[in-house]
Amino acid sequence: MNKVLLFNPRSARAKHRIPNAIMNIAASVDGKYEWVIVDGNRETDPYQKICSYLKTGEFKYVGFTVMPGPQVKQAIPFSKQIKQQFPGTVIVWGGYFPTNHYKVILNSGYVDFVINGPGDHAFPNLLDALENNRPYELIKNLIFKSGDSAIKTIKEDLIEQDALPPLPYDKLNKFYTIDKYLGKTYLGERTLAYHSSIGCPFTCSFCAVVPTYEARWKAKSAALVYRDIKYIKDKWGADAIEFHDNNFFVSEKRTIEFAELIKPEKMKWWGMARIDTMAKFKDTSLALLRDAGCTMIFFGAESGSNDILKQLDKGGTQTGDQILAFAERLKQFDITPEYSFVLGTPAPTPEQVEKQIDFEIEFIKSIKAVNPKTEIVLYTYSPVPAEGSELYEQVLAKGFHFPQKLEDWVSPQWENFDLRKNPLTPWLTPHMINKIRDFETVLNSYYPTISDVRLSRIKRNAIKLVSSLRYKTGFYLKPYELKVLQIMWKYRQPEIEGM
């Protein structure tokens, strides 16, 4: 039986996390197929490591997990090289990037299959079909090429997460020691990355998760989440948790059950949520979360304008007033809200686009006024290929288009696009982009992120003092003196590098 090589392309310069996505796939084939993992974050020369396995002739299947942004820099050239050097291999991509851009990927000629959403069943079923020369056309969550057309099979219902096999942490530890995945962060000295749920029950039209999960959400039980975390804490010394769920706090009941279980472990933790969901949480629930170690929560605020929230199809009941009020409410529970904003959405005229940007800048400052501890993460709007959405139709009408060749995604401008730093959208002028970036520089100087553990108190006070006049007067233009300090001190941007 042929073996499986699973590759996690490099995603960060430092603070590497357990490759949970590829570990899920490893779990799905464990016991049926022999597998190895190559982690691009942990290898000096990952392609050489991949070749060392493929040259044995024992590995036919190569699975890639590919998130937008940095991971395409290895996924694209490595896949091309593998196909040229080892033409008998079958290359399978999964993750948000291939789900959203499957046509250009399959047209490249060196990716054979795309997993469309969760691969817990699709990937092993595909291997079984290929190994036994059986048809694969009816396997759910699969995209492949037939002639000149890309064929998408039907989507599978989301799997009950407790029914899935446990992640093979002990086997991963044989390839790469787990302790090196537990990095120092704002939360702790040995921070664990963990996924406790998949999907999100909302349909925001700017979110890459929506085409993957189609407004569906499934979660592990609180007891199972606690069991996994307790195991890693006891065996490898984890002392903090980053929940990388798209929406950890969907269920107040599950959240409280977990908080009660984890509280005795005295671990700090962070997760992602929606403001309109958590605004409904009882005060007693929020107090318990903080007592149980919940230190910071990431919220997609997106905009203080109700019209733009509607344009973004934010869904739910979120409003600008609610965003402001909830930031103030969290002060009493000593939980830091981390608010992300998306600036630069399309509008009928350039003047309206710039007016929206100016509005968001003032709204962000009003949030800082009511709760100075609120962390602000700024993105420029980057289109997501959400076929059929009104916003995506607006984007196409404005003249935006994605690359037609897969190799073009490796260029610096498209990598920055996926990091939501360079939108490449025709309605945003260089002046507007500079305005956003300049304000961000001043904001991050006057309110340095607490998640940058390398920034000393002396440096924080110094950069705040230097930026104070700009922030208070609203003069953000060309803050070169602040940029120099941020570069010298290697200021950490959470939206790019995590916590």
Side-chain angles (χ1 to χ4, degrees):
M1 186 175 288
N2 290 293
K3 297 179 182 179
V4 182
L5 188 153
L6 301 172
F7 179 53
N8 181 52
R10 186 178 180 87
S11 58
R13 290 176 294 178
K15 293 189 178 178
H16 308 130
R17 304 294 193 260
I18 290 174
N20 287 303
I22 210 74
M23 283 279 282
N24 260 88
I25 299 304
S28 76
V29 299
D30 194 38
K32 296 181 65 177
Y33 294 88
E34 289 189 49
W35 56 270
V36 298
I37 282 181
V38 177
D39 189 348
N41 292 313
R42 299 282 297 272
E43 295 285 347
T44 304
D45 188 344
Y47 188 72
Q48 183 182 38
K49 186 71 172 181
I50 290 170
C51 286
S52 71
Y53 285 117
L54 296 182
K55 284 177 179 177
T56 66
E58 299 175 349
F59 293 83
K60 181 177 180 179
Y61 307 108
V62 184
F64 284 69
T65 181
V66 190
M67 289 288 287
Q71 286 197 317
V72 301
K73 292 180 70 175
Q74 287 187 344
I76 292 172
F78 285 13
S79 294
K80 188 174 183 179
Q81 288 173 257
I82 290 169
K83 207 65 172 176
Q84 291 171 344
Q85 194 171 349
F86 306 95
T89 56
V90 175
I91 298 178
V92 184
W93 278 23
Y96 297 146
F97 181 79
T99 294
N100 288 326
H101 300 283
Y102 62 88
K103 290 180 182 177
V104 70
I105 290 168
L106 293 175
N107 286 338
S108 72
Y110 45 84
V111 178
D112 299 291
F113 296 93
V114 166
I115 302 297
N116 184 22
D120 305 278
H121 289 166
F123 187 72
N125 288 344
L126 174 62
L127 298 192
D128 290 346
L130 295 174
E131 279 288 286
N132 296 288
N133 197 27
R134 295 200 304 259
Y136 50 75
E137 287 79 4
L138 297 181
I139 295 173
K140 296 177 181 179
N141 288 11
L142 199 61
I143 311 178
F144 56 90
K145 200 165 182 186
S146 178
D148 293 330
S149 302
I151 307 298
K152 296 175 72 172
T153 64
I154 63 173
K155 279 290 192 77
E156 180 183 28
D157 291 339
L158 291 191
I159 305 163
E160 293 296 335
Q161 297 299 288
D162 280 13
L164 292 173
L167 298 192
Y169 293 112
D170 292 285
K171 284 191 178 182
L172 175 65
N173 190 55
K174 295 177 181 178
F175 297 108
Y176 305 100
T177 54
I178 296 286
D179 64 319
K180 293 289 181 66
Y181 286 116
L182 306 177
K184 181 179 180 179
T185 67
Y186 159 70
L187 297 169
E189 295 292 321
R190 300 174 66 78
T191 304
L192 162 71
Y194 187 86
H195 269 109
S196 80
S197 66
I198 60 171
C200 176
F202 294 88
T203 58
C204 307
S205 58
F206 59 91
C207 180
V209 174
V210 173
T212 302
Y213 296 107
E214 299 175 332
R216 298 173 299 168
W217 180 79
K218 285 283 186 181
K220 297 177 183 178
S221 65
L224 180 56
V225 175
Y226 171 71
R227 187 193 71 190
D228 284 351
I229 291 169
K230 175 71 169 164
Y231 178 75
I232 296 171
K233 180 190 180 208
D234 291 346
K235 187 159 187 174
W236 289 291
D239 63 0
I241 317 155
E242 290 177 358
F243 286 105
H244 287 184
D245 306 39
N246 303 123
N247 196 338
F248 177 83
F249 297 88
V250 170
S251 165
E252 183 174 2
K253 179 176 181 290
R254 186 185 83 116
T255 304
I256 295 310
E257 287 176 359
F258 172 74
E260 289 171 339
L261 289 168
I262 203 69
K263 184 178 177 181
E265 305 300 329
K266 300 190 182 306
M267 300 176 77
K268 291 184 177 180
W269 48 284
W270 168 99
M272 303 187 204
R274 281 181 59 106
I275 294 167
D276 53 355
T277 298
M278 289 208 73
K280 298 173 184 175
F281 277 33
K282 298 185 287 292
D283 282 357
T284 52
S285 297
L286 295 176
L288 173 60
L289 292 183
R290 178 60 202 192
D291 292 344
C294 181
T295 303
M296 180 188 291
I297 303 174
F298 178 96
F299 297 96
E302 320 312 356
S303 173
S305 163
N306 295 339
D307 290 336
I308 294 178
L309 289 173
K310 183 178 179 180
Q311 181 188 20
L312 294 172
D313 195 17
K314 185 67 180 173
T317 58
Q318 185 165 305
T319 66
D321 289 343
Q322 185 185 60
I323 293 168
L324 198 64
F326 192 68
E328 188 170 19
R329 182 185 174 200
L330 281 185
K331 280 196 303 186
Q332 64 181 299
F333 301 103
D334 195 26
I335 297 174
T336 300
E338 188 177 22
Y339 278 3
S340 72
F341 285 86
V342 178
L343 278 64
T345 50
T349 67
E351 291 76 19
Q352 286 175 279
V353 176
E354 186 156 13
K355 185 178 179 182
Q356 290 172 355
I357 293 169
D358 291 337
F359 171 83
E360 302 296 359
I361 287 173
E362 292 306 311
F363 183 77
I364 289 167
K365 292 182 76 171
S366 68
I367 288 173
K368 280 292 192 180
V370 300
N371 186 351
K373 290 185 178 181
T374 305
E375 294 274 297
I376 302 294
V377 175
L378 290 184
Y379 296 110
T380 44
Y381 169 72
S382 298
V384 169
E387 298 173 358
S389 79
E390 184 177 339
L391 181 57
Y392 189 53
E393 294 303 319
Q394 294 173 21
V395 166
L396 297 178
K398 291 285 185 180
F400 175 85
H401 61 85
F402 289 105
Q404 300 303 299
K405 289 183 61 180
L406 185 56
E407 289 87 347
D408 291 343
W409 280 100
V410 181
S411 64
Q413 63 265 36
W414 283 102
E415 181 186 354
N416 285 330
F417 167 86
D418 269 331
L419 291 172
R420 298 195 175 187
K421 285 297 179 185
N422 183 1
L424 299 173
T425 47
W427 59 86
L428 272 183
T429 65
H431 163 72
M432 296 174 193
I433 295 172
N434 288 337
K435 176 180 281 193
I436 295 170
R437 298 282 79 83
D438 288 348
F439 169 68
E440 180 180 40
T441 299
V442 175
L443 176 69
N444 288 344
S445 299
Y446 193 67
Y447 291 105
T449 174
I450 57 175
S451 66
D452 191 340
V453 295
R454 300 169 304 183
L455 204 60
S456 68
R457 179 174 295 182
I458 292 174
K459 290 178 179 178
R460 289 177 182 277
N461 291 337
I463 201 168
K464 183 178 179 73
L465 179 64
V466 174
S467 62
S468 59
L469 184 61
R470 283 184 174 276
Y471 186 82
K472 291 174 181 177
T473 62
F475 181 69
Y476 315 118
L477 183 65
K478 298 180 180 179
Y480 295 134
E481 75 284 5
L482 302 177
K483 291 181 179 181
V484 167
L485 288 175
Q486 290 184 5
I487 292 170
M488 283 175 50
W489 295 339
K490 298 179 181 179
Y491 181 84
R492 192 172 186 84
Q493 292 182 275
E495 65 272 27
I496 297 175
E497 301 177 86
M499 299 181 68

